[in-house]
Amino acid sequence: MERERQKTRDKRRRTLIVAAAVVGVLGLATVVGVIAANTGKGDKSAKAGPVVAPSGATGKDALAIQTGKAEAPHTLVVWEDFRCPACKSFENNYRDTIHELEAKGLLKTEYHLVTLIDANMRGSGSLNGANAAACAQDAGKFTAYHDVLFQNQPEEVDDAFGKNAKLLELAGKVDGLDTPEFRSCVENGTHNSWVAKSQEAFRAGQFRGTPTVLLDGKDIFADQANQMTPQKLKEQVEGTAKSSGSGAAKASPSASASASASSSARAKTSSKTGSPAAGGASKGAATGAATGAAED
């Protein structure tokens, strides 16, 4: 009887050992599976791939998309995010003035596209939207598509631009943009690594948040005591051009990230307060952009 009891105990012990081993193997498999499933998730800009700049990109490392005439005497540098509410406020308030000054040959604009909101709110709308805008640049339709994206910007917490179908739908609002080439560029994320490099340049420049707007190297929203308005921007550009005798004044150097970092760094604020630029763009915009427009 004692031998039988010992056999039973030995059998039970072997069963427990085998069960524990099975659980351990399954647990390890689960961990490996989770790691594999999450590899590459999160910030899609982290995916490896060649840096493909859009057609006609300019500036340091070809990270800017330029609009207006290259020989314009003044340069406006704009760092913005297609998911950023303060950027939409800036665009809504300054769009017509910028287009007018560009049409007169007095101003050229260099757009740098970044992905702050993706990092702060999660998602990929900033990245996908920027890539799609770069694809529109390839098609010679950047300005029109850029404006359409901001005019149709979803709520900050809504990652609608993370869906290529939405970006392609909005492309239908721009004549001649929705082509097989454009669709392939959007769906393949052709310029994703270029957008990621632009975001790296933004961080390196220590800018305070989005939008950051520099006129001939000077942050137009740095002076909170004398806030910029579209009319003041127009007067500054037209006034300087007139004082030089004509609209063909000497062109100022392009304000790239490396050239303007020192001026913008003085205006850097805490990520908890949002972008002061929102206050310059329109009253109340800072509230809407507080969670996503400042550097995280």
Side-chain angles (χ1 to χ4, degrees):
M1 291 178 64
E2 181 60 29
R3 283 197 298 273
E4 290 300 324
R5 283 195 293 270
Q6 185 61 40
K7 288 181 181 179
T8 301
R9 285 195 294 269
D10 291 343
K11 184 177 180 180
R12 185 182 300 114
R13 185 166 52 254
R14 287 195 300 272
T15 300
L16 290 174
I17 291 173
V18 171
V22 171
V23 170
V25 171
L26 291 176
L28 178 60
T30 300
V31 171
V32 173
V34 169
I35 294 173
N38 285 280
T39 300
K41 284 189 176 181
D43 185 359
K44 291 171 66 177
S45 66
K47 289 184 177 180
V51 176
V52 181
S55 177
T58 188
K60 181 178 173 59
D61 295 328
L63 294 178
I65 294 177
Q66 182 177 290
T67 61
K69 298 178 181 178
E71 65 273 17
H74 299 283
T75 302
L76 191 73
V77 174
V78 181
W79 294 82
E80 61 188 3
D81 183 325
F82 284 110
R83 288 181 70 186
C84 164
C87 298
K88 177 180 179 179
S89 179
F90 166 76
E91 288 293 337
N92 286 344
N93 281 276
Y94 286 82
R95 180 184 298 115
D96 292 343
T97 300
I98 292 172
H99 289 340
E100 178 184 346
L101 293 172
E102 287 180 342
K104 290 180 178 179
L106 299 176
L107 183 73
K108 60 179 175 288
T109 307
E110 294 181 357
Y111 291 96
H112 295 258
L113 310 179
V114 299
T115 58
L116 285 184
I117 307 301
D118 283 357
N120 292 346
M121 304 296 292
R122 306 307 176 200
S124 60
S126 301
L127 172 63
N128 290 8
N131 172 67
C135 294
Q137 169 68 9
D138 290 338
K141 305 282 185 179
F142 173 79
T143 297
Y145 190 62
H146 163 275
D147 292 351
V148 164
L149 288 181
F150 277 114
Q151 289 164 348
N152 293 272
Q153 184 189 80
E155 293 295 322
E156 186 178 19
V157 295
D158 180 1
D159 191 32
F161 286 172
K163 300 177 178 63
N164 288 333
K166 181 64 175 179
L167 298 170
L168 295 174
E169 174 192 329
L170 293 176
K173 296 179 178 291
V174 178
D175 290 342
L177 178 57
D178 190 1
T179 64
E181 293 78 13
F182 175 77
R183 284 178 169 264
S184 176
C185 183
V186 171
E187 292 169 349
N188 293 332
T190 299
H191 301 296
N192 279 2
S193 293
W194 176 81
V195 176
K197 191 170 183 179
S198 180
Q199 172 63 27
E200 291 172 4
F202 181 82
R203 289 186 182 277
Q206 297 184 341
F207 300 107
R208 68 177 185 280
T210 54
T212 289
V213 186
L214 311 169
L215 177 62
D216 298 330
K218 182 179 179 180
D219 190 331
I220 69 173
F221 296 129
D223 186 358
Q224 293 298 297
N226 183 27
Q227 292 191 359
M228 178 61 72
T229 66
Q231 182 60 30
K232 288 180 181 179
L233 175 64
K234 184 176 180 181
E235 290 172 356
Q236 284 189 24
V237 172
E238 292 184 334
T240 304
K242 289 178 181 178
S243 66
S244 65
S246 70
K250 290 183 179 181
S252 300
S254 172
S256 65
S258 59
S260 60
S262 60
S263 63
S264 62
R266 292 194 296 271
K268 187 179 180 183
T269 62
S270 168
S271 62
K272 302 300 182 182
T273 61
S275 169
S282 67
K283 293 181 180 179
T287 301
T291 58
E295 175 66 85
D296 190 356

